[in-house]
Amino acid sequence: MGKQNVPDIVVGRLPIYLRALNRMLQEGQEYTSSHELGERLGISSAQIRKDLSHFGEFGKQGTGYHIAYLRDQLRQILHVDREWPMAVVGAGDLGRAIAHYKGFTPRGFRVMALFDADPARVGERIGALRVLAMDELEREIKRQNIKVAMIAVPAEAAQEVANQLVQAGVRAILNYAPITLAVPPEVHVQYIDPVAHLQHMTYYLDA
Amino acid sequence: MGKQNVPDIVVGRLPIYLRALNRMLQEGQEYTSSHELGERLGISSAQIRKDLSHFGEFGKQGTGYHIAYLRDQLRQILHVDREWPMAVVGAGDLGRAIAHYKGFTPRGFRVMALFDADPARVGERIGALRVLAMDELEREIKRQNIKVAMIAVPAEAAQEVANQLVQAGVRAILNYAPITLAVPPEVHVQYIDPVAHLQHMTYYLDA
DNA sequence: TAGATTGTTAATCGATTAACAATC
DNA sequence: TAGATTGTTAATCGATTAACAATC
């Protein structure tokens, strides 16, 4: 098996599986099946088995999957069997919420640097971090060898921030600004636009 | 034409198109083409034309699309040619950031109610809103005829909150808690899990 | 053993792309 | 008119599902 040529859409489902497995573990469960997992996630059992088969054989006929084992395998596959230091750009309401969020560390990430363009915010303490100025971004990101960043600035500023992050060596960007970013092909970008999700749903609501 | 049987994946791209068109308008542009739009979004021009063709004919051969016109059409199609009142459950860091966010109203939404289970938070003023208790949820949502809600509570509480929202008549839920919700088929749910996006990207980063 | 469930193959289904006549 | 670009059809591509032998 191995990882070559796994469809991106399959990779995107692995974190969902991982999330569900962790939850099952919390609930004290030891084994699960593709059927049960699928039921829980609204995904067909065939799809789950097919997805996992890209990476190896993790189950046993008759008994299904040992949850803790499969969880560990998925962590390795997704490279979250470690802790990725992250940078956050933008110390407004969203940036603050991100900096305070307790949910990153249990899942492989930790905010290690926080930047803002507003001099009034620079130096401010947010959680365990101090807000740094934008002209410290490249040095600090290189110093900590940060490869993952989140953008939480207004849409107008996002592209320029992305440029600086890429320049500093960041390879994965989670962008909260409602704008599509242009980045070199070796840099990964994912988008979070709550309003886009809302609009997707209102399409189906009665006019 | 018409809206019957449009693939959900197509509907999901319309907000992205709408977002880009608004941006182009802001930049003072009057016309665009499927080619230009696709370039900007990293989508093929054929796909954009095909997507739009599900809903009607909005362009002109030779000149492309009048941006303001197409924007208005997409707004109508997505039902965001109005303002949807929204409820937010959870007044922690994330709920606060949501309540403060200025980006909803220009795109068809407005937070009109904010709830929290913690008595210490009830009554607190956040932006223009006052935090309400959970036992006021159903009455308030019905009173304001709210159909759209966002969940910003810990994973453990999310399913129960979803149940209450559904009970109150909510038809669309944007869930920030990292857990898959079980809801009746007539209720729409979208998920925002930043960590899942991050894990999706670290898969591609060097081990 | 009998029952359950995997991993995988083949069939189906659906989405994307290429190509082009129509036409502004 | 010549050039550009649409909307649509047909071809291609890829993802999902059904089915089942293998086996715990």
Side-chain angles (χ1 to χ4, degrees):
Chain A
M1 306 303 138
K3 72 183 283 185
Q4 73 281 13
N5 264 53
V6 178
D8 184 66
I9 196 163
V10 171
V11 176
R13 278 192 294 262
L14 300 185
I16 309 303
Y17 299 161
L18 179 53
R19 198 172 76 180
L21 293 169
N22 275 318
R23 188 133 203 91
M24 286 173 167
L25 275 178
Q26 271 179 21
E27 291 167 2
Q29 207 174 333
E30 200 172 350
Y31 287 89
T32 188
S33 65
S34 59
H35 178 77
E36 188 192 38
L37 197 50
E39 185 96 334
R40 194 150 170 155
L41 296 175
I43 290 177
S44 80
S45 61
Q47 178 158 88
I48 290 173
R49 294 197 302 279
K50 187 109 216 288
D51 284 355
L52 295 178
S53 76
H54 285 99
F55 303 95
E57 309 191 354
F58 306 112
K60 268 217 215 22
Q61 288 100 327
T63 53
Y65 303 92
H66 183 75
I67 299 177
Y69 174 74
L70 181 55
R71 191 258 317 254
D72 290 342
Q73 293 297 307
L74 288 180
R75 276 187 176 162
Q76 281 180 36
I77 292 166
L78 291 168
H79 301 148
V80 288
D81 53 349
R82 72 207 71 176
E83 195 172 81
W84 292 87
M86 269 195 305
V88 175
V89 186
D93 288 310
L94 180 58
R96 281 156 208 266
I98 292 169
H100 283 135
Y101 183 56
K102 297 279 174 278
F104 289 122
T105 30
R107 299 170 73 192
F109 301 88
R110 186 191 292 265
V111 180
M112 294 294 285
L114 178 55
F115 302 93
D116 200 289
D118 182 351
R121 283 183 183 151
V122 173
E124 196 182 332
R125 199 173 189 84
I126 294 179
L129 297 170
R130 213 169 275 281
V131 179
L132 300 180
M134 291 304 287
D135 61 11
E136 303 174 86
L137 187 144
E138 182 165 355
R139 206 188 41 180
E140 186 63 14
I141 282 180
K142 285 183 170 161
R143 189 180 72 77
Q144 297 202 52
N145 196 28
I146 291 173
K147 297 296 171 197
V148 180
M150 303 177 74
I151 296 182
V153 304
E156 304 76 54
Q159 181 61 60
E160 173 54 21
V161 167
N163 297 347
Q164 292 183 59
L165 289 170
V166 169
Q167 172 64 27
V170 163
R171 298 290 306 275
I173 296 174
L174 183 55
N175 179 28
Y176 278 89
I179 181 178
T180 303
L181 299 176
V183 297
E186 73 276 13
V187 176
H188 299 267
V189 183
Q190 294 269 322
Y191 296 90
I192 289 187
D193 181 353
V195 180
H197 287 292
L198 293 169
Q199 292 178 336
H200 185 162
M201 292 191 286
T202 51
Y203 171 82
Y204 297 103
L205 298 190
D206 311 328
Chain B
M1 315 297 140
K3 73 181 284 183
Q4 73 282 18
N5 265 51
V6 178
D8 184 65
I9 196 164
V10 171
V11 177
R13 278 193 294 262
L14 300 184
I16 309 303
Y17 299 161
L18 179 53
R19 200 172 76 180
L21 293 169
N22 276 317
R23 188 131 203 93
M24 287 172 165
L25 275 178
Q26 271 180 19
E27 290 165 3
Q29 207 174 331
E30 200 171 350
Y31 287 89
T32 189
S33 66
S34 58
H35 179 78
E36 187 190 39
L37 197 51
E39 186 96 335
R40 195 150 171 156
L41 296 175
I43 289 177
S44 80
S45 62
Q47 178 159 87
I48 290 174
R49 294 198 303 278
K50 187 110 219 286
D51 284 354
L52 296 177
S53 76
H54 285 99
F55 304 96
E57 308 192 354
F58 305 113
K60 267 217 211 28
Q61 288 99 326
T63 53
Y65 302 93
H66 183 76
I67 298 177
Y69 174 74
L70 181 54
R71 191 260 316 255
D72 291 343
Q73 293 297 308
L74 287 180
R75 277 188 175 161
Q76 281 179 36
I77 292 165
L78 291 168
H79 301 147
V80 288
D81 52 349
R82 73 207 70 177
E83 195 172 81
W84 292 87
M86 269 195 305
V88 175
V89 185
D93 288 311
L94 180 58
R96 281 156 209 266
I98 292 169
H100 283 134
Y101 183 55
K102 297 279 176 278
F104 289 122
T105 29
R107 300 170 73 192
F109 301 88
R110 185 190 291 266
V111 181
M112 294 296 283
L114 177 56
F115 303 93
D116 200 288
D118 183 351
R121 284 182 183 151
V122 173
E124 196 183 330
R125 201 172 187 84
I126 293 179
L129 297 171
R130 212 170 276 279
V131 179
L132 301 180
M134 290 304 287
D135 62 10
E136 303 174 86
L137 187 145
E138 180 165 355
R139 205 188 43 182
E140 187 62 16
I141 282 180
K142 284 182 171 163
R143 189 180 71 76
Q144 296 202 53
N145 197 27
I146 291 173
K147 298 295 170 197
V148 181
M150 302 177 75
I151 296 182
V153 303
E156 304 76 53
Q159 180 62 60
E160 173 54 23
V161 166
N163 296 348
Q164 291 183 58
L165 289 170
V166 169
Q167 172 65 26
V170 163
R171 298 291 307 275
I173 296 174
L174 183 54
N175 179 28
Y176 278 89
I179 182 179
T180 304
L181 299 175
V183 298
E186 74 275 13
V187 177
H188 299 268
V189 182
Q190 295 269 320
Y191 296 90
I192 290 186
D193 181 352
V195 180
H197 287 292
L198 293 169
Q199 293 178 335
H200 185 163
M201 292 190 287
T202 51
Y203 171 81
Y204 297 103
L205 298 191
D206 309 329

